[in-house]
Amino acid sequence: MSDTAIDRSRLTVSDEVAIQILGMNKWYGAFHVLRDINLTINKGERIVVCGPSGSGKSTLIRCINRLEEHQSGKIVVDGIELTNDLKHIDQVRSEVGMVFQHFNLFPHLTILENCTLAPIWVRKVPKKEAVETAMYYLEKVKIPEQANKYPGQLSGGQQQRVAIARSLCMRPNIMLFDEPTSALDPEMIKEVLDTMIQLAEEGMTMICVTHEMGFARQVANRVIFMDQGQIVEQNEPEAFFNNPRSDRTRLFLSQILGH
Amino acid sequence: MSDTAIDRSRLTVSDEVAIQILGMNKWYGAFHVLRDINLTINKGERIVVCGPSGSGKSTLIRCINRLEEHQSGKIVVDGIELTNDLKHIDQVRSEVGMVFQHFNLFPHLTILENCTLAPIWVRKVPKKEAVETAMYYLEKVKIPEQANKYPGQLSGGQQQRVAIARSLCMRPNIMLFDEPTSALDPEMIKEVLDTMIQLAEEGMTMICVTHEMGFARQVANRVIFMDQGQIVEQNEPEAFFNNPRSDRTRLFLSQILGH
Amino acid sequence: ATLDDVKARGKLNCGTNTGLVGFAAPDANGDWQGFDVAVCRAVAAAVLGDSSAVEFVPTTGKTRFTALASGEIDMLVRNTTWTFSRDVDLKFTFVGVNYYDGQGFMVPKALGVSSAKELDGATVCIQTGTTTELNLADFFRVNNITYEPVPIETNEQAQQQYLAGACDVYTTDASGLAATRATFEDPTAHVVLPEIISKEPLGPLVRHGDDEWADIVRWTLNALIAAEEYGVTSANIDELAAAPTTNPEINRLLGTEGGLGEMLGLPADWAVKAIKAGGNYGELFEKYIGQNTPIGLARGLNAQWTDGGLMYAPPFR
Amino acid sequence: MTSYPDVSRETFRLRMLIFDTRYRSLTIQVVALIAFMLLVAWIVSNTVQNLADLGKPIDFGFLTGAAQYDINQTLIEYTNRDSHLRAAFVGLLNTLLVAALGCTLATVLGVIIGVLRLSRNWLVARLMTVYVELFRNVPVLLWIVFFMAILIETLPPPNAFRGENATASMLLGDSVALTNRGFYIPEPLFSRSLGDISVFGAFDISLDLIAFLAVLAAGLWASARIRARADRIQNQTGLRPTTWYLRLGVVAVPVLIVLVALGFHLGYPELKGFNFRGGIYMRNSLIALWLALSFYTAAFIAEIVRGGILAISKGQTEAAAALGLRPNRIMSLVILPQALRVIIPPLISQYLNLTKNSSLAIAVGYMDITGTLGGITMGQTGRELECVLLMMAFYLAISLVISTAMNWYDARVRLVER
Amino acid sequence: MSGTHAHSAAFVRDRMIPQEPPPDRSIGALGWLRQNLFSSWLNAALTLVSLALIGALLAAVLPWVVHSSWTANSLSECREQIKAAYGPEESGACWAVIRERWSQLIFGFYPSEIYWRPILAFGTALGGLAPVLFPGVPRRALYLTAAAPFLVPWLLWGGTVWLPVAVAFGFVLGYAGFRVVAPWAGGILGAIAAGLVPVLWWLLLAGKAAGGLQEILPLGIEPVSSRNFGGFMLSITIGLTAITLSLPIGILLALGRQSRMFIVKVICVGVIEFVRGVPLITLLFVAWLLLNYFMPPNTNFDIILRVIIMVTLFASAYVAEVIRGGLAALPRGQYEAADALGLDYWKAQRLIVMPQALKISIPGIVSTFIGVFKDTTLVSIIGLLDPVGFSNSIRADVNWNGIVWELYGFIALMFFIFCFSMSRYSMYLERRLRTGHR
Ligand SMILES: Nc1ncnc2c1ncn2[C@@H]1O[C@H](COP(=O)(O)OP(=O)(O)OP(=O)(O)O)[C@@H](O)[C@H]1O
Ligand SMILES: Nc1ncnc2c1ncn2[C@@H]1O[C@H](COP(=O)(O)OP(=O)(O)OP(=O)(O)O)[C@@H](O)[C@H]1O
Ligand SMILES: NC(=O)CC[C@H](N)C(=O)O
Ligand SMILES: [Mg+2]
Ligand SMILES: [Mg+2]
């Protein structure tokens, strides 16, 4: 994958808990999508979630910023429990950034406006400051020169980097990625992964649904394997890849890596 | 590229001229796309055209079957000069087959219908005969079993092979290929190249715009390098690749092969 | 020419009202009946020998003239007033008058109005494209009172609005008012005001430019009127037409003497057929709109000149 | 480079007209042009011939003659002594009036229904589906006559309001009367009126209205300034001052002052004589036409609105929500700006349709341009060709204006793409 | 590599958790109610308001619909019957008028003994359309499609059988003209010949030939004048003709509008924009008042024919715009591939471009058709007796004077059934075509 040398020792994990999920269950109608999920994630962790299609990976991370509602169990993000309380939801959402598979940039706004929209209207940041922040992050994802273009004028890789910058402009403590590279052409994947690696180096708490196993090995400190709505196995990347303990994991890995 | 062993000695070139282009120029509006092109191609030659994007490769081969009009100079195909005379244009087009980058199959017709359409309506071949011919060529490109499917049901590589078969059904003397593999996934490229190699072995006159240098080395008897609407260099493949004479060629080759 | 067209077609296209009881309305079987319709039938009988060879084209006040001008109908008998501009500017030929009429007003009795002059501020239902529409404007202007016109396409719509109380007054030709009132559930609840504010000579008309055809229609109408004058009725006509009678006038009318039919380009017994189609003018009047019908119009101005009326057929000679 | 023989200069031969790509298209165009001209010439010569035979050559002189008929709803001064041209103009204004009223109501209804169709409430969504299917699958003409029939048959006549034992009564504190002749609503009156001014000597405009509009415009301008200031403050500090009461105030207070100064009061309709007097009288024909056109068009607009909102993918909402935007901000900052681009072009063509459909006014006796110029004037003067041509020209002009507006909008909001 | 992990908590699930039912009442009837009707206060309020609205409407309309008379012969008789049956205060619907005038509402004044002819005609038309509309119908039915345009008018208007034969012969002549001229002078002249020969034939000879043949071999059925057409038969006749004719004309206009030839394009744009810019009613005025002026003196053709011409023109312009959208959506590569295979312009259009463009345009075309069918009611304004026009003349009958809702209700219902099924059909077609190639 990435050729960027990464110094894993610099990736530290604190002892503070960032996200705690306890006995969480979710149904779509009568269909049990997430079953008894228990997961504690500390600040600075980099979690990669993988698993077959339909196993509930997306649903899991969408529950974390309440794009989906869970029906039982408990989700606590940064000390705030997700209930129906709108205040809490807003608070959590402004702590948690999310990057979607299909970028979901706002096509009617310029790149800069995409990035400043939420800080101005949610964080009530003065415009000038918002623009500065936006430019800072756009530079970080290496596309400051595109600031005044519209999303339609950018390549897929550039768009995804804008999406990341847009999330970062809210200065979140936690970033969620839902297959951020799977809609991209091969050349563009690298651009985006590099950006994510950089983020990881800076100590961002990240949960990333991805099948880029190179990325997982290089960056993740934990890999979670899901199937049928359950966490089937989790482990450190080396152990996970070299020595999967469950049969389902082994089968899955053989498919993915043999590919 | 292809692993198929190819016996170059079997690829013969006759002395008869198939295509002759003399001092041809073409403009798009005020933009001079093709500048003083001179090129003679004999029957049985296999020409590979390469060059940077926008150098006019596509335009050149599209001029040969008059999808584009040239403004000065002369193009003679199989003894017929391309003028504004519709009769001549029709004649040339039924001598020259063309395969596009994006296949351009007719999505509302089955594979078989795609292949028999032109023979029936242009060549006035009885339907039965047309179907036989079509099946013959579909077998040749190794997808006779797909005959009754629709293009949308085939993979890209299969579609491109159908596109080749469709051209062949008109029994052309000359085949033009415009980057036939560049819209394909790597696994599918081989299928298509194999088909083209097979064609070459059977003595078809071919002009192929491609950046598949393996194919060029293996099959072409001449490689033409274009830049800025001009033919910058042409040579036999070995000489061309190992010993490019112009600086531009060298630069271009270093980019392409390093890739 | 029109005569040839009609003969070739084998049918007469006659424009009539979309529905005005007594003058022109289809009955339950879809057959058109009425005083105006009878004129069409008489012409058809005279020209084609068959009183049922008529294609009735229902027209509204607004559509009738275009239908005639564009050649869609051969003649128009739709209680149409003979006016200068229609004759001269619109280029039509009025061939005579089959009913001398004038414009009146009808109001519900409950309104307690006894004169048209009391109608200040009233809402008036009025058919568009008619002379009555123009007369009404003049009347209120002259008397310096106001009104609120409600323009309406057909008699039947006017009736609907009038009965629902969407207009206080309905105004049109007095004959039309009587005919309309006759169809009400309770005719006695409505009165026609005494004022007649205009002259409305109603008659058949044809296009300018085909005098032969105009003559045929004109003299067919005259034949009906003259027949009444001479005492030719549908009861005695067979007898009278069988052989020349002592009255040469009747003989010329019925074609047993002279060649009037030939001059028109019609068979000699053209008038016999026309009269037999429904009877003479008096019979038609009594049958469709006379005192014994629900409409109950008196002859009045429409009596023969011999009885002090205006019906005066020029001599047949 | 080698010199090359030039393309041989061919001599022109006749067959090149057909087989030479250069001449071929010319040949076809010339043939098409000639055929088209012949057709037009044929029609024109036939028409001239026919009209000459009838003795009425094309002549627009009749337009200056006295119309002689009365029109019930006149937005400008009109009497039966005025010319046909003025009558046509009265009709034209009536067309524009019903079109404007109709477009407004249709938009309001259409937006509400379109949004409700997306409601998560099953019953409401179904109900709106039924509404849409019902209205767009039945001819608009039928709706027009149907609404007219409802007005005429179900509402009481003015008579019913009369006397001791009246069977009907006015609504809203005796200020509104719904009768089967139409609706009477209070009218604005000014006891210290400024009077009228005459425009080109053709019609009068109330100075009160002008004063009112001028103050209103000034108020709106001030409000816009306040809003701009709020934007500025937000840009600087990030906090947006609450300004709605200020903005309301600058609009409302001066307007109120002007109204008081002019002695504004409402004129209530009163039953006098045969009819109500005073107030604004909306005739049943106007109401039936207005409601039918609006309800019918609203069904189409609802579909457009629904489509527009659905076209903005769920992803946009989710992305905005994930950024922490509140639902109302998501709507105003993300969904609406995008949905409007999808909605407005077809919406404008619905406006065009509504305007064209207003020509069905003739079915209920509403005196629009088809009723005056294309109806009574045509009937009384027998000038079919002239009247129909004028009418078509008028509608063409309208649709030209509207489609120009649409193209302009389209070009302005097109998403920038690669 | 290590030591940085707070959780080396490796975890393996040994027992998979099975599907469990959801905890609360989010399923079942109650759950459905809660989610769909009472999910919030606002929703609950909306639900109640809707229920009240539905209730009020039904309470107002249902008794009227049910408390009805089917047997009376006049409005007053009907009112009495209802009063007698349901009490003196009740009012109800007089469906009797529908019963009595049923055949008129459907067929107008068409002679009742030959009602089978319009029925057969529309059956034929449907049969002709079937192979086009539904894929399952055997190809042989296409013969019916070819015959229908001649058979249907003949059945409707009657007259000599030789006239449709002569008209059909024109097409044969056109084809022959093309075959004779094309090889010698090329496609374009061939096409002109194919257009010109039959037109000349129809204008100059067809009538005489039909007349002559009729003399020799009199074969025919009773002619019916179009004045007698009325009711839904009239709507369907106008609608169906306009719909079938507008498709080919619309295609030609759309192609003309896309053409690179300036003059052709200008003419087509002019026609399309003109027709779309004016209300249909003004076009009907033209049909009714002016079309006869446009024809040579003394040609006086049928008002229904004139109306059909104008409605067809109107529909064509709208269809052209829809098809233009379809053409624009077609990728350029398709044209190029067709060119490269040596297909000429018309063959490329017919075999490659149109089949795809039409498929894309189907929803638009069908909604245009629905619009045209609904707009046939406008002919009542120029005095034709379509259902709406007929309802007026029924009301002009003394017996039924004052009847309103029953007639409008019936007509509206019929139109609703026609239009609704057309729009459902278009959805079906869309769905079928979307999955067609996959
Ligand atoms: N809105 C919904 N309603 C009903 N079922 C849904 C909904 N969204 C997802 N599902 C189902 O829930 C299951 C889990 O979906 P989810 O998108 O979380 O899977 P995933 O692991 O992200 O798969 P993929 O790799 O394909 O994205 C799937 O079986 C899916 O069909
Ligand atoms: N229809 C056109 N109108 C104007 N310019 C054109 C048109 N088609 C191509 N060009 C221009 O002509 C030049 C040559 O185009 P051409 O497609 O032949 O290049 P190419 O060598 O095939 O490039 P590529 O490798 O990207 O396909 C380019 O600069 C292109 O922008
Ligand atoms: N009301 C009518 O239908 C006829 C009106 C009047 N007699 C006219 O000719 O204009
Ligand atoms: Mg997913
Ligand atoms: Mg190219």
Side-chain angles (χ1 to χ4, degrees), chain C residues 6-30:
Chain C
V6 172
K7 280 187 172 158
R9 213 186 296 130
K11 287 234 166 182
L12 172 71
N13 288 338
C14 194
T16 56
N17 204 313
T18 47
L20 181 62
V21 172
F23 285 84
D27 66 11
N29 305 322

Side-chain angles (χ1 to χ4, degrees), chain E residues 31-339:
Chain E
W32 185 89
L33 276 181
R34 260 171 55 125
Q35 273 175 14
N36 292 300
L37 297 182
F38 300 99
S39 56
S40 68
W41 280 112
L42 181 69
N43 258 337
L46 275 178
T47 303
L48 293 180
V49 169
S50 309
L51 280 177
L53 202 73
I54 296 173
L57 261 179
L58 287 185
V61 176
L62 259 194
W64 179 81
V65 171
V66 176
H67 290 182
S68 60
S69 156
W70 281 95
T71 54
N73 290 315
S74 70
L75 189 58
S76 42
E77 189 183 335
C78 163
R79 296 224 167 108
E80 271 155 32
Q81 283 187 3
I82 290 169
K83 292 216 165 80
Y86 305 105
E89 289 304 297
E90 283 298 324
S91 66
C94 293
W95 299 117
V97 67
I98 307 293
R99 176 190 54 77
E100 191 188 277
R101 299 300 185 114
W102 165 262
S103 54
Q104 281 188 352
L105 277 168
I106 304 290
F107 295 107
F109 293 122
Y110 208 86
S112 56
E113 60 294 352
I114 47 175
Y115 278 167
W116 61 269
R117 267 167 47 183
I119 294 173
L120 185 63
F122 294 132
T124 313
L126 273 189
L129 283 175
V132 187
L133 298 183
F134 301 97
V137 179
R139 303 288 290 173
R140 203 173 304 154
L142 280 173
Y143 288 111
L144 193 61
T145 310
F150 310 103
L151 213 54
V152 172
W154 178 63
L155 280 171
L156 287 177
W157 276 275
T160 166
V161 72
W162 297 114
L163 197 62
V165 170
V167 172
F169 188 65
F171 286 98
V172 178
L173 278 184
Y175 182 70
F178 183 80
R179 292 318 295 263
V180 170
V181 176
W184 157 77
I188 279 291
L189 267 196
I192 294 177
L196 216 56
V197 171
V199 168
L200 286 178
W201 160 257
W202 289 323
L203 286 183
L204 302 177
L205 292 172
K208 294 203 186 84
L213 280 168
Q214 175 72 4
E215 304 253 299
I216 301 167
L217 187 65
L219 261 186
I221 49 180
E222 182 191 339
V224 178
S225 118
S226 32
R227 268 280 146 214
N228 291 327
F229 283 40
F232 280 99
M233 194 190 114
L234 181 65
S235 303
I236 296 176
T237 308
I238 296 176
L240 208 60
T241 330
I243 285 170
T244 36
L245 291 182
S246 67
L247 199 55
I249 300 177
I251 290 174
L252 287 182
L253 280 175
L255 289 179
R257 189 169 188 163
Q258 295 288 86
S259 165
R260 261 176 298 182
M261 292 183 264
F262 180 73
I263 294 178
V264 174
K265 182 173 171 158
V266 165
I267 292 175
C268 290
V269 169
V271 170
I272 293 174
E273 290 307 326
F274 173 76
V275 172
R276 281 161 43 88
V278 298
L280 176 58
I281 185 75
T282 59
L283 292 179
L284 291 178
F285 277 177
V286 170
W288 169 49
L289 303 168
L290 302 183
L291 218 50
N292 270 342
Y293 288 155
F294 296 160
M295 295 287 140
N298 295 323
T299 32
N300 183 13
F301 62 108
D302 204 339
I303 175 77
I304 294 196
L305 211 58
R306 274 154 35 205
V307 165
I308 287 178
I309 290 175
M310 290 322 266
V311 176
T312 304
L313 194 61
F314 179 76
S316 305
Y318 279 81
V319 169
E321 275 304 280
V322 173
I323 292 180
R324 184 171 75 122
L327 287 175
L330 208 61
R332 225 178 106 72
Q334 294 288 315
Y335 294 89
E336 288 182 347
D339 275 351

Side-chain angles (χ1 to χ4, degrees), chain C residues 91 123 141 147-149 164 168, chain D residues 55 70 72 180-181 275 283:
Chain C
K91 317 282 181 197
T123 301
R141 194 182 179 80
Y147 73 110
E148 159 85 22
D168 300 304
Chain D
D70 283 310
N72 49 13
N180 68 351
R181 293 181 191 175
N275 279 315
R283 288 169 183 75

Side-chain angles (χ1 to χ4, degrees), chain B:
Chain B
M1 270 300 106
S2 174
D3 320 316
T4 330
I6 179 164
D7 181 0
R8 273 187 147 268
S9 64
R10 274 171 52 210
L11 303 177
T12 54
V13 171
S14 105
D15 284 343
E16 285 174 69
V17 174
I19 301 174
Q20 185 161 38
I21 304 179
L22 281 177
M24 190 262 274
N25 282 278
K26 171 162 181 58
W27 287 262
Y28 278 127
F31 175 55
H32 201 168
V33 222
L34 292 180
R35 312 184 187 172
D36 191 37
I37 304 288
N38 288 286
L39 187 63
T40 307
I41 298 173
N42 284 2
K43 292 221 166 116
E45 277 204 88
R46 292 131 349 246
I47 313 274
V48 160
V49 182
C50 62
S53 178
S55 56
K57 309 177 296 293
S58 299
T59 311
L60 173 63
I61 68 166
R62 288 160 62 86
C63 279
I64 294 175
N65 73 345
R66 192 70 174 191
L67 286 178
E68 306 283 353
E69 201 174 308
H70 59 283
Q71 274 101 18
S72 78
K74 207 167 163 179
I75 304 182
V76 182
V77 179
D78 248 353
I80 308 158
E81 189 186 340
L82 277 170
T83 59
N84 284 311
D85 192 320
L86 277 179
K87 281 258 164 83
H88 290 180
I89 296 176
D90 285 345
Q91 238 170 317
V92 166
R93 282 190 181 155
S94 58
E95 296 297 332
V96 178
M98 174 137 183
V99 176
F100 297 87
Q101 180 184 10
H102 290 112
F103 336 141
N104 292 342
L105 294 180
F106 304 131
H108 62 301
L109 302 177
T110 62
I111 301 308
L112 192 59
E113 286 165 349
N114 262 283
C115 293
T116 55
L117 184 90
I120 291 178
W121 290 96
V122 179
R123 282 243 190 278
K124 318 278 187 207
V125 171
K127 176 143 184 215
K128 189 150 159 282
E129 201 184 314
V131 170
E132 274 162 18
T133 318
M135 288 311 296
Y136 171 78
Y137 284 111
L138 285 176
E139 252 154 58
K140 202 150 186 172
V141 299
K142 306 204 179 63
I143 36 177
E145 70 286 358
Q146 313 285 0
N148 290 314
K149 289 197 183 159
Y150 284 91
Q153 297 168 297
L154 267 50
S155 74
Q158 291 173 321
Q159 288 192 38
Q160 191 61 296
R161 283 182 284 159
V162 172
I164 295 174
R166 179 174 72 176
S167 289
L168 292 177
C169 284
M170 289 289 284
R171 302 187 185 278
N173 299 329
I174 301 165
M175 288 285 282
L176 310 174
F177 296 87
D178 191 358
E179 312 205 21
T181 56
S182 67
L184 298 178
D185 296 343
E187 317 96 81
M188 302 177 172
I189 292 180
K190 190 175 164 310
E191 299 172 355
V192 174
L193 289 182
D194 281 352
T195 307
M196 289 167 64
I197 290 169
Q198 195 187 344
L199 265 184
E201 282 177 350
E202 291 173 9
M204 176 68 79
T205 315
M206 291 164 62
I207 308 181
C208 183
V209 176
T210 185
H211 292 137
E212 294 293 339
M213 290 307 144
F215 174 79
R217 272 177 209 265
Q218 208 180 352
V219 177
N221 68 328
R222 211 166 1 141
V223 179
I224 294 179
F225 174 67
M226 288 186 70
D227 191 18
Q228 295 184 1
Q230 307 158 44
I231 296 179
V232 173
E233 180 162 351
Q234 53 173 307
N235 212 334
E236 289 172 12
E238 281 313 308
F240 180 84
F241 289 115
N242 301 340
N243 192 14
R245 276 175 282 175
S246 124
D247 291 346
R248 310 203 102 273
T249 320
R250 221 165 290 133
L251 183 68
F252 177 75
L253 284 179
S254 74
Q255 280 173 348
I256 268 209
L257 300 176
H259 184 57

Side-chain angles (χ1 to χ4, degrees), chain A residues 28 31 33 51-60 68 178-179 211, chain D residues 314:
Chain A
Y28 278 127
F31 174 56
V33 224
S53 180
S55 55
K57 310 178 295 294
S58 300
T59 311
L60 173 63
E68 306 283 352
D178 192 358
E179 311 205 22
H211 292 138
Chain D
K314 212 172 135 225

Side-chain angles (χ1 to χ4, degrees), chain D residues 41-339:
Chain D
W42 183 70
I43 288 178
V44 169
S45 86
N46 282 337
T47 312
V48 169
Q49 173 75 43
N50 280 319
L51 289 176
D53 287 355
L54 278 173
K56 41 180 190 186
I58 300 179
D59 175 10
F60 287 91
F62 72 96
L63 284 174
T64 51
Q68 299 189 47
Y69 58 88
D70 283 310
I71 300 176
N72 49 13
Q73 176 181 306
T74 55
L75 295 182
I76 56 171
E77 198 76 1
Y78 168 85
T79 71
N80 57 39
R81 299 289 97 190
D82 286 320
S83 65
H84 282 294
L85 191 61
R86 197 175 173 93
F89 193 68
V90 170
L92 189 154
L93 289 180
N94 284 345
T95 295
L96 294 179
L97 173 73
V98 77
L101 286 175
C103 290
T104 315
L105 182 60
T107 311
V108 172
L109 279 177
V111 169
I112 292 174
I113 292 163
V115 170
L116 284 185
R117 262 200 94 177
L118 293 171
S119 159
R120 257 179 297 176
N121 186 315
W122 182 88
L123 190 66
V124 171
R126 278 311 128 100
L127 209 58
M128 293 307 132
T129 310
V130 169
Y131 172 94
V132 168
E133 294 296 350
L134 193 67
F135 270 88
R136 65 174 184 176
N137 282 316
V138 171
V140 62
L141 178 63
L142 220 71
W143 284 120
I144 293 174
V145 291
F146 198 74
F147 272 87
M148 186 68 173
I150 290 181
L151 288 179
I152 291 180
E153 301 281 336
T154 62
L155 290 177
N159 270 339
F161 292 80
R162 198 189 314 268
E164 291 300 295
N165 45 3
T167 51
S169 57
M170 295 173 70
L171 307 176
L172 302 178
D174 276 358
S175 63
V176 174
L178 307 184
T179 77
N180 68 351
R181 293 181 191 175
F183 299 169
Y184 296 83
I185 55 177
E187 70 183 325
L189 290 179
F190 300 97
S191 51
R192 290 179 286 276
S193 171
L194 298 174
D196 295 343
I197 55 163
S198 158
V199 183
F200 312 126
F203 48 88
D204 296 336
I205 292 185
S206 154
L207 277 177
D208 304 326
L209 184 70
I210 292 178
F212 176 80
L213 289 180
V215 172
L216 188 67
L220 288 176
W221 179 79
S223 159
R225 297 302 311 159
I226 293 174
R227 188 191 150 148
R229 190 173 136 266
D231 283 346
R232 223 168 30 243
I233 292 174
Q234 184 184 20
N235 285 347
Q236 275 158 15
T237 66
L239 294 176
R240 193 176 181 90
T242 324
T243 55
W244 64 266
Y245 46 84
L246 244 179
R247 293 177 61 190
L248 194 71
V250 283
V251 177
V253 172
V255 164
L256 282 178
I257 291 174
V258 167
L259 288 182
V260 170
L262 291 176
F264 173 84
H265 59 277
L266 284 177
Y268 294 104
E270 258 178 279
L271 192 56
K272 268 194 202 142
F274 295 96
N275 279 315
F276 284 89
R277 295 280 173 88
I280 295 174
Y281 176 24
M282 301 176 75
R283 288 169 183 75
N284 55 10
S285 52
L286 170 65
I287 291 175
L289 189 65
W290 175 31
L291 292 184
L293 289 176
S294 310
F295 279 52
Y296 180 77
T297 310
F300 292 87
I301 293 182
E303 283 302 275
I304 292 169
V305 169
R306 187 175 80 111
I309 293 177
L310 283 181
I312 307 311
S313 67
K314 212 172 135 225
Q316 294 286 312
T317 320
E318 283 183 349
L323 285 172
L325 289 168
R326 303 294 291 269
N328 57 342
R329 292 268 175 241
I330 296 180
M331 202 58 180
S332 66
L333 295 174
V334 177
I335 303 298
L336 272 187
Q338 295 185 58

